[in-house]
Each structure stands twice: as C-alpha cells, then as structure tokens.
Amino acid sequence: MQQILPHLYSFTGLQVGRVYLIDDGGDLTLIDSGLGSAGKKILAQLAAANYTAAQVKRIMITHAHPDHIGSLKELFTATGAQVIASAEEAPVIEGKVPGKLPDRATLPPIYRLIPLTPTLYPAVPVGRIVKDGDVLDNVFGGLRVVATPGHAPGQIAFYQPEKKLIITGDTLMHMFGLRLPMVMATPDMPEAKRSIRKLCEMDIETVLFGHGQPIMSGGREQIRAFARSRGIL
C-alpha cells in the first residue's frame, strides 16, 4: 500500500484503477473494490500491513462498473463489511439488473465497433443507501456524499470539507492530464459534464481519482482550468 495522507492509503499493483483505504484507529473503510483480480492483492496488502479482514467495516462504492465492483463479492465474503452505495447503483451491485450502457447511436463512430454487452454481477447485499449531502460521520472525520451522475446513473463522490479532499470515482480521470470519463462506458456524457461543473464550485485541494495519480494541491484550480478548456465552464 502507498500512503497518500495520514490514515489514507491506495493499494498498489492493481491491474486497472484505484482502491483506497481509510484507517480510523483500526476501523477500516475501503473505497471501491477494483477488478475481479484485485481482491487477493487487497487482502494480501491488508495482511502485510498487520490488518485483519475483520477490521474492514465498510466498503463504499462510487459506482457499479466492473473495475470498481469486480472484487466486491470476494471482499464482502472475506470481511463481512457493510456495503454502502447510492440507490441507483444498488440494484446493479445486488445482481438484479445489469449496469447501464450508453446508447450506441450516441457514440463516436469508432466506438460503435466495440461490442457492449449488459452484464449481471455476482449479487452482494447493499447494507446502506446514501444520497447527495449525506455524511458518514465515522469515516475520516466525516465524509460527505456528493452525487456525480453521468458516467453511471448513481455515481457518487466522497468529500472531506476540512481536509478539502474529494474521492471522485470516475467523475474525471487523471491520465496524461485530466480527462473526461471513458466515452464507451458513460451513458450520459452531458450529465457527466454537469457533475464536473459541480466539482468546480467546491473548495478542493486534494483530488483522488478512480484512474490516475492524485492531485495533492490546487485541485479546484486544475479542475476549473480543464472544464474551461472543454467548454464545460
């Protein structure tokens, strides 16, 4: 694991995407679960850091895409943690409906050549539904839920106002600079852009992404500059 801030870590060596760990005095929270290949690596890194699986009390899901919930079943089984997600993403996590895909007709021509298949994921019970503005008081001094739909209908981010830190899911990516979420996995790009505009109004210094390296300072200014460059602001 790599420490990002005191009590906040990112797991290393994952094939795709990022999974975060928050340590509140030995009471652990995971943010997302990574691909199906990530579960064993996450559990091994927890053990190497002298944590037990039973210390993981909650797994908070930004959105129900395979690179964010692929290992959720394995981690839930190993830890017994409460799964926390939005109402829109819960049916996908619980294996009741497949995740929403973009309308192929709205995609640029090159992306229409890539097959998109609705997928049902292994069912995991969601123990707590959260919505925009809810606060998880017992996590990292109070994490506020921020609705950031578009890339997924019920995507949420997690904001810590005193630390001016946000964990964005895939609201934005930070790979070779800031980028929009992946077109072929985003069913509502106009809504995704409105979610980026929402971040532009928040007091943010540190930004943690589902894909790419963190921004440790000047987060709002960098997001605003990106939004202006793409005509979002």
Side-chain angles (χ1 to χ4, degrees), residues 12-198:
T12 57
L14 304 187
Q15 185 179 356
V16 173
R18 287 187 172 269
V19 176
Y20 297 100
L21 171 71
I22 297 171
D23 178 1
D24 290 297
D27 183 289
L28 305 182
T29 300
L30 297 180
I31 310 292
D32 289 332
S33 75
L35 287 171
S37 60
K40 288 181 176 57
K41 294 178 181 178
I42 290 168
L43 292 170
Q45 289 179 45
L46 287 171
N50 295 315
Y51 295 121
T52 67
Q55 287 179 265
V56 179
K57 301 303 182 185
R58 61 200 66 79
I59 306 173
M60 294 162 44
I61 300 299
T62 60
H63 63 293
H65 284 180
D67 51 337
H68 294 261
I69 65 167
S71 286
L72 182 57
K73 180 74 170 182
E74 181 178 2
L75 294 174
F76 171 76
T77 300
T79 65
Q82 181 186 57
V83 176
I84 298 172
S86 70
E88 295 85 355
E89 300 300 287
V92 182
I93 294 167
E94 294 181 333
K96 297 175 181 176
V97 297
K100 187 174 181 180
L101 296 172
D103 181 349
R104 294 178 70 85
T106 68
L107 296 175
I110 190 170
Y111 291 109
R112 296 176 199 169
L113 302 175
I114 302 171
L116 299 174
T117 305
T119 302
L120 281 175
Y121 299 104
V124 178
V126 175
R128 180 177 176 182
I129 298 293
V130 292
K131 64 183 184 303
D132 189 58
D134 284 353
V135 177
L136 297 136
D137 294 310
N138 55 343
V139 182
F140 211 41
L143 280 184
R144 179 159 64 86
V145 176
V146 180
T148 58
H151 180 62
Q155 180 174 243
I156 52 178
F158 300 106
Y159 177 58
Q160 216 298 339
E162 287 77 23
K163 295 177 174 63
K164 301 182 182 182
L165 175 146
I166 193 161
I167 302 170
T168 67
D170 289 355
T171 312
L172 287 160
M173 299 192 299
H174 191 215
M175 304 171 72
F176 307 103
L178 287 172
R179 295 179 178 274
L180 293 171
M182 189 178 297
V183 172
M184 63 178 291
T186 303
D188 191 341
M189 188 61 79
E191 184 72 9
K193 291 179 179 179
R194 286 190 285 272
S195 290
I196 293 170
R197 190 181 305 133
K198 186 176 186 177

